[in-house]
């Protein structure tokens, strides 16, 4: 969650969007962003996946769907 992705996540969360945030290898950055948003009582969940791996993408989407009881 750096640069543009981070800015988009913050803007969406501040508007009340519940976020399912993907990260590939930047776990530390993603966790820092999640902590920042949770400190503001904003809802964010992190999901790790290698976007070059279809099985991981499907797992990530299924996990996010289950966590949020559906995705928009």
């Amino acid at each position: 969650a750096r640069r543009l992705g981070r800015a988009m996540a913050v803007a969406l969360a501040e508007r009340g969007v519940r976020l399912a945030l993907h990260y590939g290898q930047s776990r530390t950055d993603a966790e820092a962003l999640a902590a920042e948003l949770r400190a503001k009582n904003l809802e964010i969940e992190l999901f790790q996946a290698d976007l070059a791996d279809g099985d991981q993408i499907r797992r990530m989407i299924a996990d996010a769907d289950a966590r949020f009881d559906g995705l928009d």
Side-chain angles (χ1 to χ4, degrees):
R2 292 180 254 159
R3 301 175 302 270
L4 182 59
R6 184 184 194 294
M8 290 172 43
V10 170
L12 290 168
E14 288 177 345
R15 286 168 178 76
V17 174
R18 297 181 310 156
L19 292 180
L21 182 68
H22 160 265
Y23 68 93
Q25 298 177 353
S26 301
R27 181 178 182 156
T28 301
D29 292 335
E31 288 176 343
L33 175 58
E36 176 186 330
L37 294 175
R38 288 177 183 142
K40 297 177 182 179
N41 292 319
L42 302 173
E43 191 170 358
I44 181 170
E45 293 295 330
L46 301 178
F47 298 91
Q48 192 282 329
D50 176 353
L51 297 183
D53 183 326
D55 289 335
Q56 288 189 34
I57 294 168
R58 284 185 283 282
R59 177 192 45 83
M60 178 184 65
I61 292 169
D63 290 349
D65 184 53
R67 169 61 183 91
F68 288 107
D69 196 28
L71 299 175
D72 293 334

